[in-house]
């Protein structure tokens, strides 16, 4: 039997934020078990936490966001969609296949952010001797105003 080519996917899902932290962790653990049972390899799993939704979903204004990047065969997409629909605690989800171009861009961004940054100087700007320019409408303290010249 030929081994299927695995692709890299990313899924973002929103869990009902009215659940307590232990219940949310259980939902995420069940998700991870589902992936591993279906021949997927989890690369990253980021828990973004509770966020305010842009619009109400199921009469709720907040959701717990989780993002997972995984390596899996193509048939997992349909299975994962069914899994999401059956779990009543998952309010919304999105599954995308990551392209090679996207992966290269991500690696480049990570490489740049890992490179040491040059320190930004907090010293005041050097004041050069010469004529001080006063903005229009402002009054120099050194000059007499027209009101005082009477």
């Amino acid at each position: 039997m030929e081994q299927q080519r695995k692709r890299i996917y990313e899924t973002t899902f929103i869990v009902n934020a009215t659940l307590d932290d232990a219940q949310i962790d259980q939902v995420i653990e069940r998700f991870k078990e589902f992936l591993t049972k279906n021949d997927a390899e989890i690369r990253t799993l980021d828990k973004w936490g509770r966020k305010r939704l842009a619009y109400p979903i199921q009469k709720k204004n907040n959701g717990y966001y989780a993002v997972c990047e995984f390596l899996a065969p193509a048939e997992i997409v349909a299975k994962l969609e069914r899994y999401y629909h059956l779990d009543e605690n998952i309010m919304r989800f999105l599954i995308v296949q990551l392209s090679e171009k996207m992966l290269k861009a991500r690696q480049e961004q990570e490489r740049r952010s890992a490179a040491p940054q040059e320190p930004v100087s907090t010293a005041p700007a050097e004041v050069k001797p010469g004529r001080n320019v006063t903005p229009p409408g402002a009054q120099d303290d050194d000059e007499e105003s027209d009101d005082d010249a009477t």
Side-chain angles (χ1 to χ4, degrees):
M1 188 167 104
E2 178 184 333
Q3 183 175 353
Q4 285 200 326
R5 181 173 161 251
K6 291 187 175 185
R7 296 181 172 99
I8 298 175
Y9 294 95
E10 182 178 82
T11 183
T12 304
F13 57 97
I14 306 172
V15 180
N16 185 346
T18 58
L19 301 174
D20 61 26
D21 290 343
Q23 291 172 314
I24 290 173
D25 287 340
Q26 286 177 348
V27 170
I28 293 172
E29 282 303 313
R30 284 195 310 264
F31 163 77
K32 287 166 53 176
E33 288 172 13
F34 173 82
L35 285 182
T36 54
K37 284 180 184 175
N38 284 284
D39 198 27
E41 175 188 326
I42 297 174
R43 297 176 74 181
T44 62
L45 177 65
D46 295 328
K47 298 175 185 178
W48 288 358
R50 287 180 171 82
K51 304 275 184 197
R52 183 158 179 82
L53 302 173
Y55 55 89
I57 300 173
Q58 300 170 1
K59 298 183 181 178
K60 294 176 180 57
N61 293 315
N62 293 306
Y64 187 96
Y65 283 73
V67 179
C68 180
E69 185 179 303
F70 59 96
L71 187 68
E75 69 266 2
I76 198 164
V77 174
K79 292 178 183 178
L80 187 55
E81 284 180 0
R82 178 156 172 74
Y83 171 83
Y84 282 146
H85 284 295
L86 293 175
D87 191 334
E88 64 214 23
N89 293 315
I90 296 179
M91 299 167 28
R92 285 286 192 275
F93 65 89
L94 175 69
I95 306 167
V96 294
Q97 179 183 343
L98 299 179
S99 66
E100 291 297 322
K101 186 176 181 181
M102 176 65 190
L103 292 170
K104 286 179 184 175
R106 245 190 213 173
Q107 288 173 349
E108 179 67 22
Q109 184 179 19
E110 288 172 1
R111 186 184 62 77
R112 283 185 190 156
S113 65
Q117 300 290 324
E118 289 186 28
V120 176
S121 175
T122 57
E126 183 180 324
V127 178
K128 295 182 180 180
R131 185 173 158 228
N132 290 335
V133 178
T134 305
Q139 193 172 355
D140 279 346
D141 292 336
D142 297 338
E143 296 179 14
E144 290 183 22
S145 68
D146 292 336
D147 295 338
D148 294 338
T150 53

